[in-house]
Amino acid sequence: MIRVSSTQFTYNYKISLNNAYAEQAKLMEQADGNSIHRPSDDSVNYARYLKYGVAESENLQYQKNVKTAVSWMQNADAAEVLMSDIMATFKEKTDAAANSTNTEADMLAIGREMMSGIQQLVSLGNTQQGDNYVFGGQSVSVRPFELSMELADRGLTKTLDDKQSAFFFTNNSAVNKHNDDDLGILRQFLVMEYKDSTSGNTETAYLDTITGYIYSKDFVEEADSTGKSFLAKMARGEALDPDADSIGKIEVGDPSKEADHDISSGKFMVSQYFDERGVLKNEAVKTVTASSGILTGTSFEFKTISQPIVTYTGDEKHISMVKLNGAVDPTADTVNSTGQELFGADIFDNRLSGNGRPKADASGNMEYVAASGSAMINEMLTVYAMVNSGDKGQIWLDTDGVTISDKAHANLVTEEARIGARNQLYTSVTEMLDKQNENITRDLTDVSATDVAELAVQLMTQQTLYNLSLSMGSRILPQSLADYL
């Protein structure tokens, strides 16, 4: 009986002593400043600690995203500011070239300055952020813009000014009901020539590629005394009557129908004759025949101009850098400008041209988005080519050239403003993320940090109790049964 009691007494003492040591060791762990090392330490605060830890990791990643995005957009914005200055100068040179008092030497000098500006535009279009090209969409490793000085035959266009646009595209929405998304930033007709069967002279006509109607040059451009021009009709408050005002019509295809893309379909589409940059595909295939109207059966030949061409090899996709938690919004998180956004679309690569990249809309219908990414640069090169042509191009420069340079500059300024506003948004988010990080750090501290003063007191108390236990145990516990007896 005595032996059993002694064993039990010793066993209980050792359990108590080990518990005291474990408690002391647990307190010693907190000396690293963290009061929670395992879920059993404090299950509620440990759950909060994990949640705050995830929030801190997210916050740090968002901060990295924002810093990268801001750096990216600052580079893009700096390049776009310079582009805008170049285009503003280009506008001035276009106005100067339209002056009828210029000599041939004057026009050549203006042309050289224009080409120098375009070359700088192409160089700025290839701006890099590290090893990535800023304006190449998601094709960041591919040089996006290339200027070929080899001359190509590009389709000549009639670019409508504001009054012409209002008459042919706005006042008669039942005929031309498309918006900027479909048509791009320019309202244009294709320039064609035909031989007048009465006079035998070569005349100029304009093809509306959306409706297929063909208009005489006099109707579109002249304020003639007969009162038959578009200006005379506008003055009388009359809208466009395409059947009465046109000189012919061809049947136009539907870009959403694959069969219509083939020239053998008998339906016209820009892509059948010109690529997305406006370059004529086949010198031997450049005529259309009016299927109805006054000049039914008349053959019309597309007019071209020989000029350098810029090719864009990037894509139209955006780069997203998420800046806040919650649902991902690619529209709100985009940080780059693509070639399509910088230089818009024209008659050769808009959605209705047939040259766009195929893409299904929200309803599953096939549509074509702008493809070239270099539309306005190539339009500017057309202006340059007209300047080099001398006196022959001065009237065109005073109308089409001025409109092109103005619209190209306006489009770039709009994109510059968008990137600038997005840059400011990301910069303001930086301050918010910094404050969020402070709050998260404070929450982590509240649930996991050690109270140093309290810990010191507890450690000293536990150490004292442990030492007293050892001292007392050495006195009251027998070393052996003989000693106890």
Side-chain angles (χ1 to χ4, degrees), residues 183-330:
L183 302 175
I185 63 176
L186 298 177
R187 301 293 178 265
Q188 295 177 307
F189 294 153
L190 282 178
V191 180
M192 303 189 299
E193 292 181 335
Y194 69 98
K195 183 164 288 188
D196 190 310
S197 59
T198 302
S199 66
N201 297 329
T202 299
E203 303 290 345
T204 298
Y206 301 133
L207 170 63
D208 181 350
T209 60
I210 310 302
T211 63
Y213 286 103
I214 302 169
Y215 301 99
S216 69
K217 180 179 179 181
D218 288 345
F219 180 74
V220 176
E221 295 188 349
E222 302 297 330
D224 61 332
S225 58
T226 61
K228 295 181 180 179
S229 71
F230 94 92
L231 280 175
K233 294 197 69 169
M234 282 190 75
R236 296 193 297 268
E238 298 176 11
L240 174 68
D241 182 355
D243 289 319
D245 295 332
S246 64
I247 59 176
K249 185 182 181 183
I250 58 176
E251 188 175 0
V252 175
D254 184 349
S256 65
K257 297 179 180 178
E258 188 175 349
D260 288 0
H261 285 254
D262 195 323
I263 197 170
S264 63
S265 66
K267 297 179 180 180
F268 170 82
M269 199 174 296
V270 172
S271 60
Q272 296 169 356
Y273 298 86
F274 304 93
D275 69 14
E276 69 276 8
R277 302 165 302 168
V279 177
L280 187 66
K281 290 183 175 180
N282 189 337
E283 184 66 29
V285 183
K286 58 177 182 179
T287 61
V288 293
T289 302
S291 56
S292 61
I294 298 173
L295 298 182
T296 300
T298 300
S299 179
F300 293 83
E301 181 177 301
F302 294 112
K303 193 172 181 180
T304 60
I305 184 168
S306 185
Q307 67 172 76
I309 293 292
V310 171
T311 301
Y312 177 70
T313 54
D315 57 48
E316 77 282 358
K317 299 176 182 178
H318 289 105
I319 295 174
S320 295
M321 297 184 183
V322 182
K323 58 186 178 296
L324 295 171
N325 55 4
V328 176
D329 185 355

Side-chain angles (χ1 to χ4, degrees), residues 40 67 76 84-86 164 191 196-197 220 225 249 260 262 266 280 319 339 359 398 403 415 459:
S40 58
K67 288 178 181 178
S84 179
D85 291 341
I86 292 170
Q164 292 165 333
V191 180
D196 190 310
S197 59
V220 176
S225 58
K249 185 182 181 183
D260 288 0
D262 195 323
L280 187 66
I319 295 174
K359 178 182 179 182
D398 193 36
T403 302
E415 181 59 19
L459 272 174

Side-chain angles (χ1 to χ4, degrees), residues 348-366:
F348 298 109
D349 76 334
N350 62 30
R351 291 183 179 181
L352 303 177
S353 67
N355 274 323
R357 293 189 177 96
K359 178 182 179 182
D361 62 16
S363 302
N365 299 318
M366 194 60 65

